[in-house]
Amino acid sequence: MSWGTELWDQFDNLEKHTQWGIEVLEKYIKFVKERAEIEINYAKQLRNLSKKYQTKKNSKEEEESKYTSCKAFQNTMNEMNDYAGQHEVISENMTSMIMAELTRFVQELKQERKSHFHEGRKAQQHIETCWKQLESSKRRFERDCKEADRAQQYFERMDADINVTKADVEKARQQAQIRHQMADDSKGDYSSVLQKFNHEQQEHYHTHIPTIFQKLQDLEERRITRLGDSLKTYAEIDRQVIPIIGKCLDGITKAAESINSKQDSQTVVESFKSGFEPPGDIDFEDFTQSMKRTVSDTSLTNNRADVKSDPKTPGKSRGKLWPFIKKNKLSLKLGATPEDFSNLPPEQRRKKLQQKVDELNKDLQKEIDQRDALTKMKDVYMKNPQMGDPASVAQKLIEIGSNIEKLRVEVQKFEGWLAEVEGRLPARNDNSRRQSALYETQNTAPVNNCAQDRESPDGSYTEDQSQETEVKVTPTEFDDDFDDEEPLSTIGSCKALYPFDGENEGTISVAEGEILNVIEEDKGDGWTRIRRNEEEEGYVPTSYIEVYLDKTAKDS
């Protein structure tokens, strides 16, 4: 079935149909564009929603994240963020794989269609011109034949009339012959033009128009096929993200399954447990004796009276529960949080002190590692002066040593308070505690810098970050022979445990957590040679990195 043979006389209808087909394709492109916009807006709204409900740092919500239900909710927000990313992928793929491709294809179709119909109109104009020539030749032949017939009749009348001279008859005969000759010439011309027109018409309806219509049919079929392929791509783009969306939903399900009500209940106990014993039973007070009343020693009322009359009178632990709570609420209102967390219940105070001790020990270990690295650097500079000046790290070592001593004093102070809470040391009375605090303040004034100034609004302790120091050494000339060495092959990899500036020539700066290649092991001088890329390499302190050597390197 071909348009050229079946629709040879439907030029105008085919022109309308092909234009309609292109408009259908443009309508589909517009649909995909709007779908892509919906997807990108949906992804944006999901991301904003996820961000809105994410845990804020240094807020009460961060404290709540220790509960499994809150952790599950935050994991759900993270999965929703990834879920939004898949809708962004859908939008991007639809824009690049469908919209852009089809827009370019439509432009090509328009140009090709315009060319084919221009060629078809040109063929129609040619056949119309041939038809006009045929009609003109035909009318001229008809006219000449009529003129010749009239001239013949006129000659015959003149020849039959006896009154007409012989000259007039001869003249009429010659005129008739001329007209007959003109009719014969017109006949031949008409016959020639007719043959030419028939040939052109044969070519037009059996060669030119079928060829043009066949091209238009191919164009239309390519348009339809391309639309079908685009619909498949449309479905495939959605299908590609289904596994990842499924993983996001599996992650949400896994987060939900990780919720442990018993564990959360235990966390509530650990968060709010005071460590006090509940008050005992209130004994019966006999008011029948007018002169004296007997009250139980464990009575809460008696304890209150004792507290008012003589604050130094010792009582049982359960009798101190209510005064302690009142004192705690008052101190929180005033915003005064002691450095030893004495305003907290025993169990909560123990946790705060343990947390503080862990933080101080971590900072202390970091300073010790930094000191060891600088000590090795100084030894290398003393052995190889061309690598750097030993005096450039001496001052830094003094500062780090001072920081270490201050941190050790802090650790010892908080460990003492922790031991007191845990019952490992006898509790100190108020006078001895004040004397101890005064002594520690005098000896650790440069370190403490008023501990209360570093307390956060909620009364918790936050460490002064200014105590963290970085290693800075003065750059010096480096041995020229180092630059001329042959490039070494990689023997393993390493991970930076701490940041290192690498300002000296021959060293390289690294960021904490960065993964790099090892090209030379530590030769005993405390330095390891690493490479970031083909052009950037140098030495870093071995204590600053964690090295993973390849098996082949170890064997060799």
Side-chain angles (χ1 to χ4, degrees):
M1 183 180 294
S2 173
W3 286 8
T5 56
E6 303 292 337
L7 304 175
W8 61 270
D9 57 344
Q10 299 298 319
F11 185 90
D12 294 337
N13 286 333
L14 289 180
E15 185 177 14
K16 294 178 182 178
H17 177 77
T18 52
Q19 178 62 33
W20 169 82
I22 291 178
E23 291 174 356
V24 169
L25 205 55
E26 289 177 335
K27 184 188 297 185
Y28 177 69
I29 294 173
K30 185 178 180 181
F31 160 76
V32 174
K33 180 181 179 182
E34 293 181 3
R35 165 72 191 280
E37 291 174 353
I38 291 173
E39 291 291 342
I40 197 69
N41 290 333
Y42 179 54
K44 183 178 179 180
Q45 291 176 0
L46 280 180
R47 286 192 184 279
N48 291 338
L49 182 65
S50 176
K51 183 179 179 181
K52 178 180 178 181
Y53 288 96
Q54 283 283 2
T55 300
K56 308 297 188 297
K57 291 186 177 181
N58 300 324
S59 66
K60 183 180 179 182
E61 293 179 359
E62 189 173 18
E63 183 70 17
E64 295 172 353
S65 62
K66 59 188 176 183
Y67 298 103
T68 59
S69 56
C70 294
K71 288 180 181 178
F73 179 70
Q74 291 306 314
N75 290 336
T76 300
M77 293 301 99
N78 295 332
E79 295 295 344
M80 289 305 298
N81 198 46
D82 296 339
Y83 184 89
Q86 298 311 307
H87 286 277
E88 290 176 346
V89 170
I90 291 175
S91 177
E92 293 172 1
N93 289 341
M94 286 187 174
T95 301
S96 60
M97 299 174 64
I98 298 180
M99 278 181 54
E101 294 294 330
L102 283 186
T103 301
R104 185 165 48 250
F105 179 68
V106 165
Q107 294 300 322
E108 294 174 357
L109 287 183
K110 288 182 177 180
Q111 291 295 330
E112 186 177 351
R113 175 182 174 277
K114 182 179 178 181
S115 174
H116 294 331
F117 278 104
H118 176 73
E119 186 179 353
R121 290 191 184 92
K122 186 177 179 181
Q124 281 188 330
Q125 291 175 357
H126 177 69
I127 198 65
E128 287 175 359
T129 301
C130 293
W131 171 256
K132 290 179 181 178
Q133 292 176 354
L134 176 63
E135 285 295 314
S136 176
S137 177
K138 178 181 177 181
R139 285 193 299 270
R140 187 170 59 252
F141 172 57
E142 182 180 8
R143 186 181 64 249
D144 290 343
C145 287
K146 290 179 178 180
E147 290 293 333
D149 186 51
R150 283 197 298 269
Q152 182 67 28
Q153 291 178 2
Y154 179 73
F155 166 68
E156 290 178 355
R157 285 197 307 270
M158 292 292 289
D159 187 45
D161 192 354
I162 58 175
N163 297 321
V164 179
T165 61
K166 187 176 181 181
D168 291 337
V169 174
E170 183 62 25
K171 183 179 179 180
R173 185 181 64 80
Q174 290 178 358
Q175 189 67 26
Q177 289 179 349
I178 291 173
R179 291 297 179 181
H180 278 288
Q181 183 62 42
M182 291 176 63
D184 291 339
D185 293 340
S186 298
K187 180 181 179 181
D189 183 59
Y190 170 65
S191 177
S192 175
V193 172
L194 179 60
Q195 290 179 359
K196 181 181 178 182
F197 174 78
N198 289 333
H199 175 73
E200 292 293 339
Q201 183 174 253
Q202 181 74 16
E203 290 290 325
H204 178 79
Y205 289 111
H206 293 84
T207 302
H208 297 313
I209 290 299
T211 301
I212 295 171
F213 282 10
Q214 184 62 43
K215 291 179 181 179
L216 290 173
Q217 182 179 355
D218 294 341
L219 180 146
E220 179 68 7
E221 290 176 354
R222 279 189 287 116
R223 179 194 67 81
I224 296 171
T225 303
R226 190 62 174 269
L227 179 59
D229 293 340
S230 297
L231 289 173
K232 291 180 181 178
T233 304
Y234 179 87
E236 190 62 30
I237 288 173
D238 270 324
R239 186 177 289 110
Q240 286 176 354
V241 301
I242 288 177
I244 303 178
I245 291 177
K247 290 182 179 179
C248 294
L249 298 178
D250 291 342
I252 295 174
T253 303
K254 185 177 179 181
E257 293 173 350
S258 68
I259 296 177
N260 190 327
S261 58
K262 298 295 183 183
Q263 183 177 341
D264 283 358
S265 297
Q266 182 62 31
T267 303
V268 174
V269 173
E270 294 174 357
S271 299
F272 301 110
K273 182 180 179 181
S274 66
F276 289 111
E277 294 292 335
D281 295 337
I282 298 177
D283 293 339
F284 174 77
E285 298 183 27
D286 190 358
F287 292 100
T288 58
Q289 300 181 11
S290 58
M291 300 300 295
K292 184 180 179 181
R293 54 180 185 169
T294 303
V295 185
S296 174
D297 292 339
T298 59
S299 171
L300 179 60
T301 307
N302 189 31
N303 280 329
R304 290 179 178 175
D306 291 344
V307 170
K308 291 182 180 179
S309 62
D310 188 4
K312 296 183 180 180
T313 302
K316 295 183 181 180
S317 61
R318 61 176 177 269
K320 294 182 180 181
L321 174 62
W322 308 118
F324 178 85
I325 293 179
K326 291 181 180 179
K327 178 183 176 183
N328 185 24
K329 290 182 178 178
L330 179 62
S331 64
L332 289 177
K333 289 180 180 178
L334 297 176
T337 303
E339 186 182 9
D340 60 353
F341 305 109
S342 57
N343 64 311
L344 299 176
E347 184 66 21
Q348 302 304 317
R349 184 186 180 198
R350 182 190 66 79
K351 291 182 179 179
K352 285 286 186 181
L353 290 173
Q354 184 63 56
Q355 181 181 0
K356 185 63 179 177
V357 169
D358 294 341
E359 291 176 358
L360 290 173
N361 283 328
K362 183 179 179 181
D363 293 338
L364 178 62
Q365 185 60 43
K366 186 175 181 179
E367 293 289 337
I368 292 174
D369 293 342
Q370 199 171 24
R371 181 194 63 185
D372 294 343
L374 285 177
T375 302
K376 292 182 179 181
M377 182 186 292
K378 183 178 178 182
D379 295 340
V380 172
Y381 287 170
M382 294 178 65
K383 295 178 182 179
N384 303 291
Q386 70 274 11
M387 295 185 66
D389 183 11
S392 63
V393 297
Q395 183 61 32
K396 197 65 181 177
L397 281 172
I398 295 174
E399 294 178 6
I400 293 177
S402 176
N403 292 338
I404 290 175
E405 290 302 319
K406 293 174 184 178
L407 287 171
R408 283 175 176 168
V409 171
E410 286 283 293
V411 170
Q412 185 177 5
K413 177 174 63 176
F414 280 92
E415 284 181 344
W417 286 334
L418 181 61
E420 177 184 325
V421 173
E422 293 178 344
R424 296 200 300 265
L425 293 178
R428 294 175 288 180
N429 57 31
D430 294 339
N431 293 332
S432 63
R433 181 174 298 173
R434 283 196 293 270
Q435 292 175 359
S436 175
L438 176 63
Y439 171 78
E440 290 164 351
T441 304
Q442 293 174 348
N443 286 275
T444 63
V447 183
N448 291 341
N449 272 336
C450 296
Q452 292 183 0
D453 293 341
R454 295 181 307 206
E455 293 170 359
S456 60
D458 61 353
S460 62
Y461 182 89
T462 56
E463 186 181 351
D464 189 356
Q465 298 297 331
S466 63
Q467 292 184 6
E468 295 183 8
T469 56
E470 297 179 353
V471 182
K472 294 186 178 179
V473 291
T474 306
T476 61
E477 293 292 332
F478 195 76
D479 192 5
D480 294 334
D481 294 336
F482 177 79
D483 296 330
D484 296 331
E485 293 180 356
E486 293 293 328
L488 300 175
S489 59
T490 301
I491 62 174
S493 60
C494 67
K495 178 181 180 181
L497 301 177
Y498 312 103
F500 180 66
D501 288 341
E503 295 182 351
N504 282 26
E505 187 173 358
T507 61
I508 182 173
S509 62
V510 297
E512 184 176 352
E514 188 176 5
I515 305 299
L516 307 104
N517 295 323
V518 177
I519 57 176
E520 184 178 342
E521 285 187 79
D522 187 351
K523 303 297 184 181
D525 55 2
W527 293 85
T528 301
R529 192 172 177 183
I530 63 174
R531 177 185 294 141
R532 180 174 284 110
N533 49 46
E534 295 299 328
E535 300 176 359
E536 197 173 357
E537 64 182 50
Y539 288 92
V540 295
T542 305
S543 60
Y544 275 50
I545 60 175
E546 185 175 359
V547 179
Y548 312 94
L549 294 179
D550 296 336
K551 274 190 173 182
T552 55
K554 292 181 181 179
D555 296 338
S556 60

